[in-house]
Each structure stands twice: as structure tokens, then as C-alpha cells.
Amino acid sequence: MVALLPRSSDTSVSAPTHTAGMPDSRPQTRLLSADDVQLIAQRVGLDRLMDEMIGRLTQAFLEFDNHNTVVPIRSGFNYRTPHVGLVEWMPLLQKTQQIVVKTVGYHPQNPELYGLPTVLSTISAYDPTSGRLLAVVDGTFLTALRTGAASAIASQYLAQPNSRTLGLVGAGAQAITQLHALSRRFDLKHVLVYDTDPVVMASFAERAAVLKLDLRIESAPLVQVTTAADILCTATSVDVEAGPVIPAQGLKPGLHINAVGADFPGKTEIPLSVLEQSLVCPDFYEQALLEGECQQFEDRSQIGPELFELVKSPAAYKAHQQQMTVFDSTGFALEDQTAMNLMLAYADELGLGTWMALESVAADVKNPYSFVPGTVGSNSVVTGA
């Protein structure tokens, strides 16, 4: 077991042009494969890794400055043939320090048709001074990890501190990390789970056993889940225009909802009437207007603070813990940057990852063919006959 790394938002990525053990002296890119990421998680421990993710992400929100860190709305392709899916890219520029781009695919048919996760992603880091590719990290595990951590942070500020019952609507992969993250910040006693797929619902407790939590997990009808929950997480693959996925009635007055599944125009999980009664806190305001629960609002003044504003000024919103609240989680590249840099820091500590010369850097940078034997360099003098 390794010691926890300092909770820092330091975004430097070590990428020397040559290090002992590297194959040659050309500029190198650090690669962290799925095996590397999984080994880090095993060596560090899931609980410590989640605690570190929550701590670093909280610090990143506290330090977030949208003048220094530019996060555009993600863009990409969405399609319905041969199956519903999307591939998007989520960029971030931290001026003079780091550029991060996550590419993420969402294909809800993957588990049944191909035995693949619904969400697949990679995260890459670039040097803004030269444009060099510094690192590429498997992002599938990290996407689940940071999404759970973001919900835990939002819940810590918006949910009632004595929340004991967690409701999960949607029992897929994301539900595992939602449960894990929330269990690190709340003394949960009871988890109620609902999924439209009875097989997925029935297998949740067995899948969650890896967390070794001392609490009761049981499948339940949707109405029982939503009426009993102190904190409710919705993480579904509901079709566009097929929502909402929870009823508008019977919810506890102080219920906090982490709405995780809306990530597509027209895809929503929460009834508009519930949103209108709640303080709605998006992770990324402009993006939530297009893809999140906030797209349901005609009056934008009904939308509350972004998550980083909530973290910076918690006292201003503490009274809302006694009312209904909603965290509109659509995904934020700052979260991906934080997760990637956490993994790279542990990779340095544990000596993991592979260095590769992925980028073409010719011996003569002004001659792209200079790698060919006998090629005349730009500094050579050629004389005619």
C-alpha cells in the first residue's frame, strides 16, 4: 500500500525528453494503459483512491478560475445508426500549464452486444508551449471514478448531513462508483436499488461487494426507492424524450438528487416540476443547458450555482440542505484533468506506464524526410554538375 499523495491541484506532467530505460532520445509520451490504471487502484486501494479523488477535485474547484482555465462546451458526433451512440471530445486549457482533451464514447448497447462498457474514453495531455503530446491515459475507469467523486462533493454541500438511505435508479457501472463515493462522505445504512433490467438490478449487490461496505443493499420497486431515499442518484441510459425516470410525487422534502444520466440533447431523468421546486446546481452551466436537466428550464434564472461556486461559498447555500436539491452532472473536463493527473502522479511513484516516441520528430525538423538514409538535410549544400 502506498501513502496518500499530497492533496494538490498541481497540474504539471513530467515528460522529459530522455529518461533511463527509454528506448531512445526522441521526445517521449507517457502511456497509462487500462492495466496500469487498474494496478494503481489495486496498489493504492479503492477507498484511498476515492478519498484522494474527492479531496483533489474539491481543491480543484476551490482554485478554479475561468480566466486562467478555459473549458469549452464539449462537442462531437451523435447518431442513431447502426445503434444509438455518441463520441465527444471534452477540452480544457490551463494557460501556460496544460491542455487536456478527453475523448469519450457513449453506446448503451455495448454491454449486451459486445461485452464492452457503455462508456469508453481516453484522456490526453499536451504541452501548451510546444503542442507536444505528454501523456495518454485510459479514461474509462477514471470517468466513473471522477463522476462518483463529483456527486459526493455536491451531496456533501447540498444533502442533509444525517442522510442514511441512498436510492439508486439505474444499477449499471456508474451506480457502483456513486455508492462508493457517497459512502466515503455519509454514514449510509441502507441502499435501495431499481433498474428496468431485472438481471442488472439483481446483480448489483454482488457487484458492489468489492467495496466491502457494512450496509444493507436491496432491490426495490421504483416508488419505494424514490420515497425512502435521503439521497437519490439517477444514472440511466434512458432514451431521448423517454424521460423522466422518477415520479414527481412522494419525494422527501429534503431529498438531494444526483442526476448523472442526462448527457444528450433531449435526454432527461428528472421531472420538470421537481426541478422547479429545487435548488439546481449544474457542474457546467452552459453544457447543462444543452445536455443536462437544465435544458428543461425556459427561465434560466431558476438555475442555481455551478458546482465550483458552491464549493467556494458553501455557507451561502447551507440552508438549502433542508429543501430539495439537484446536482445536474453532465461531466466537466476539470474533473478529467484532476483524475488524469492523480493517476500520473501515482504512476511516477509506483514506476508504472510506458514511454513511447509517438510523435514524428525528424533529426532535421525542417525536413520531414530526413529519417530516410541519404536524405539531404536542410543545412547541406547541393551543387549542380
Side-chain angles (χ1 to χ4, degrees), residues 220-238:
L222 177 61
V223 172
Q224 182 181 345
V225 173
T226 57
T227 55
D230 300 313
I231 300 174
L232 182 68
C233 297
T234 58
T236 72
S237 54
V238 62

Side-chain angles (χ1 to χ4, degrees), residues 33-55:
S33 68
D35 288 343
D36 293 322
V37 170
Q38 291 167 12
L39 186 55
I40 289 170
Q42 291 168 356
R43 293 280 298 276
V44 174
L46 292 176
D47 287 348
R48 285 193 169 193
L49 189 62
M50 181 59 82
D51 288 345
E52 181 74 4
M53 186 70 245
I54 294 171

Side-chain angles (χ1 to χ4, degrees), residues 86-128:
L86 63 81
V87 173
E88 296 180 318
W89 38 95
M90 301 172 64
L92 174 147
L93 165 63
Q94 196 160 44
K95 294 178 181 177
T96 74
Q97 296 184 56
Q98 190 179 53
I99 293 171
V100 173
V101 179
K102 184 173 86 167
T103 303
V104 57
Y106 166 78
H107 297 84
Q109 79 287 345
N110 273 0
E112 288 73 27
L113 294 184
Y114 307 116
L116 295 171
T118 297
V119 176
L120 293 165
S121 72
T122 55
I123 310 172
S124 53
Y126 300 83
D127 179 356

Side-chain angles (χ1 to χ4, degrees), residues 2-344:
V2 301
L4 278 177
L5 294 168
R7 286 186 175 178
S8 168
S9 58
D10 175 27
T11 57
S12 60
V13 177
S14 177
T17 57
H18 185 64
T19 296
M22 289 185 184
D24 55 47
S25 61
R26 291 174 296 174
Q28 304 286 308
T29 298
R30 186 76 166 273
L31 304 180
L32 292 187
S33 68
D35 288 343
D36 293 322
V37 170
Q38 291 167 12
L39 186 55
I40 289 170
Q42 291 168 356
R43 293 280 298 276
V44 174
L46 292 176
D47 287 348
R48 285 193 169 193
L49 189 62
M50 181 59 82
D51 288 345
E52 181 74 4
M53 186 70 245
I54 294 171
R56 285 194 170 217
L57 189 53
T58 300
Q59 189 65 31
F61 284 131
L62 280 170
E63 297 177 359
F64 178 67
D65 176 358
N66 54 17
H67 296 291
N68 182 60
T69 303
V70 180
V71 187
I73 297 173
R74 65 188 174 205
S75 183
F77 307 107
N78 60 74
Y79 37 85
R80 294 181 175 274
T81 57
H83 307 286
V84 171
L86 63 81
V87 173
E88 296 180 318
W89 38 95
M90 301 172 64
L92 174 147
L93 165 63
Q94 196 160 44
K95 294 178 181 177
T96 74
Q97 296 184 56
Q98 190 179 53
I99 293 171
V100 173
V101 179
K102 184 173 86 167
T103 303
V104 57
Y106 166 78
H107 297 84
Q109 79 287 345
N110 273 0
E112 288 73 27
L113 294 184
Y114 307 116
L116 295 171
T118 297
V119 176
L120 293 165
S121 72
T122 55
I123 310 172
S124 53
Y126 300 83
D127 179 356
T129 62
S130 67
R132 278 227 311 109
L133 177 62
L134 301 178
V136 178
V137 180
D138 169 63
T140 301
F141 172 76
L142 295 186
T143 296
L145 187 77
R146 60 79 153 154
T147 306
S151 289
I153 293 169
S155 301
Q156 189 172 345
Y157 290 104
L158 294 175
Q160 296 185 24
N162 63 345
S163 294
R164 297 292 180 264
T165 300
L166 173 64
L168 298 172
V169 177
Q174 186 53 243
I176 298 291
T177 50
Q178 293 288 308
L179 168 58
H180 186 204
L182 288 163
S183 74
R184 304 305 297 171
R185 287 296 180 268
F186 292 87
D187 184 19
L188 299 176
K189 300 298 184 185
H190 192 195
V191 181
L192 293 169
V193 183
Y194 172 79
D195 196 289
T196 56
D197 185 333
V199 174
V200 172
M201 180 166 60
S203 68
F204 180 81
E206 182 179 356
R207 286 182 280 124
V210 68
L211 301 176
K212 297 180 173 59
L213 299 176
D214 183 20
L215 46 73
R216 183 161 52 103
I217 300 175
E218 63 177 306
S219 302
L222 177 61
V223 172
Q224 182 181 345
V225 173
T226 57
T227 55
D230 300 313
I231 300 174
L232 182 68
C233 297
T234 58
T236 72
S237 54
V238 62
D239 289 337
V240 172
E241 307 298 345
V245 300
I246 65 170
Q249 292 78 36
L251 308 177
K252 288 185 176 180
L255 173 68
H256 171 66
I257 302 173
N258 295 307
V260 177
D263 53 9
F264 208 90
K267 179 182 175 184
T268 59
E269 296 181 316
I270 312 303
L272 177 58
S273 60
V274 172
L275 297 176
E276 291 174 335
Q277 299 173 57
S278 307
L279 175 71
V280 179
C281 173
D283 54 357
F284 187 2
Y285 176 82
E286 294 294 338
Q287 189 168 278
L289 290 175
L290 296 176
E291 300 183 355
E293 300 300 331
C294 289
Q295 65 185 290
Q296 299 187 60
F297 283 120
E298 292 185 7
D299 180 3
R300 295 187 179 186
S301 68
Q302 295 176 282
I303 301 172
E306 290 180 270
L307 182 54
F308 80 90
E309 296 174 303
L310 181 67
V311 173
K312 286 175 182 282
S313 304
Y317 305 99
K318 188 174 180 62
H320 289 278
Q321 290 179 341
Q322 305 306 315
Q323 306 165 11
M324 281 205 299
T325 53
V326 176
F327 173 47
D328 189 2
S329 176
T330 61
F332 191 25
L334 183 70
E335 300 162 3
D336 299 306
Q337 180 195 34
T338 304
M340 178 196 68
N341 285 327
L342 173 61
M343 283 294 155
L344 288 169

